[in-house]
Amino acid sequence: MRRIPAIAAVVGISTLALVGCSPASTEASCERAVSDASVLDLITVSGDTVELSAPVRVDETVFEDLTVGEGPTVTSDAQDVVFDITIVNGTTGETLVQSGTQVAPVSQWGEFYAGIATMLDCATEGSLIAGAVAPEDLAPEAAASLGLGEGDSAVFVIDLQKVYLAKADGADQYNDRRGMPSVVLAPDGTPGVIIPDADAPDELVVQVLKKGDGPVVTGDQSVRLHYTGVTWDEREVFDSTWEAGTSAALSLDQVVPGFAAALEGQTVGSQILAVIPPDQAYGDAGQGAVPPGATLVFVIDILGLDEVAE
């Protein structure tokens, strides 16, 4: 059974596993769409209040930016976002949902709320977006969970509070230590790791492949990452968020010592190559797919820092 991403406890349905939807614009060509629709004049937003001056009905989703933020841009449907949202029945003017969301990729919302994905395409962090969402841009399960009738449009107001990077976007760095693994990147940022025909180093080695200019990882907040882990001797991937299709949020006390040491003091937007000896990884015991005494190689993209829970 498919499950709809939870907008709020009011909706009462938990978040589903990541699934694909149509890709968002690439960074190089990301231009924010402009809707020229008079129906948007029927929507008034004042603080947390959304009012309609007449019923709102649309055949295609339209939206406008009431406030344009200056933060990171949504350039990929793989990016994680956090937003506050108000949903109003376009026919009755009744407020159906008013809540914040958990961290989730745009693609996850797009599976059931295509209108949300449309409104977020090329939007910037800090933007306040008002839109009228066509019935066809809400999956039947989503419309039913919101209490919308057949053919009802909905008005969405999105306060886009956080946009995480899709991949490391920092400046390329020069590294000249011999005998280190090489990293090749797919267009979407997925790394491939080439282990050299050499003995693994017996100490922790950390190289910055891309240097980001974002906040510093201090350990006070969970770090949102993409990473791929490879065993040096077996040359096999034992863990990858890229393969799993979703980022990971980790605190430094949740990971092996070498992984934590590689992250601490780095900046958001950076890509890190870490070679971790057994005594700073899983030691002689190993764990899961990691054999005993394994040296681990990680390529880590630092996508952002999660907010501290209050």
Side-chain angles (χ1 to χ4, degrees), residues 195-196 198-201 230-236 278 291-297:
I195 306 296
D199 293 334
V230 179
T231 52
W232 185 289
D233 289 337
E234 290 76 17
R235 293 170 166 77
E236 293 182 355
T295 294
L296 308 181
V297 179

Side-chain angles (χ1 to χ4, degrees), residues 148-200:
L148 291 169
E150 183 177 356
D152 282 344
S153 299
V155 172
F156 285 21
V157 177
I158 297 174
D159 182 1
L160 184 53
Q161 297 182 333
K162 182 79 172 181
V163 176
Y164 292 84
L165 299 175
K167 58 184 178 181
D169 65 351
D172 292 334
Q173 304 294 294
Y174 174 72
N175 294 281
D176 61 358
R177 175 162 175 159
R178 295 183 179 181
M180 288 291 287
S182 300
V183 178
V184 293
L185 300 176
D188 68 353
T190 303
V193 182
I194 303 170
I195 306 296
D197 186 15
D199 293 334

Side-chain angles (χ1 to χ4, degrees), residues 267-283:
T267 52
V268 171
S270 297
Q271 183 178 75
I272 308 301
L273 174 66
V275 180
I276 306 176
D279 63 343
Q280 295 189 56
Y282 295 110

Side-chain angles (χ1 to χ4, degrees), residues 37 100 113 119 145 167 208 274 283-284 301 305:
Y113 302 93
M119 292 172 66
S145 72
K167 58 184 178 181
V208 178
D284 294 333
D301 284 23
L305 303 178

Side-chain angles (χ1 to χ4, degrees), residues 4-26:
I4 305 172
I7 285 182
V10 175
V11 179
I13 304 176
S14 61
T15 304
L16 79 165
L18 174 65
V19 292
C21 72
S22 59
S25 303
T26 62

Side-chain angles (χ1 to χ4, degrees), residues 82-106:
V82 179
F83 51 85
D84 285 345
I85 189 166
T86 299
I87 303 178
V88 175
N89 187 314
T91 301
T92 67
E94 177 190 1
T95 298
L96 306 174
V97 169
Q98 194 167 49
S99 181
T101 66
Q102 297 180 335
V103 180
V106 174

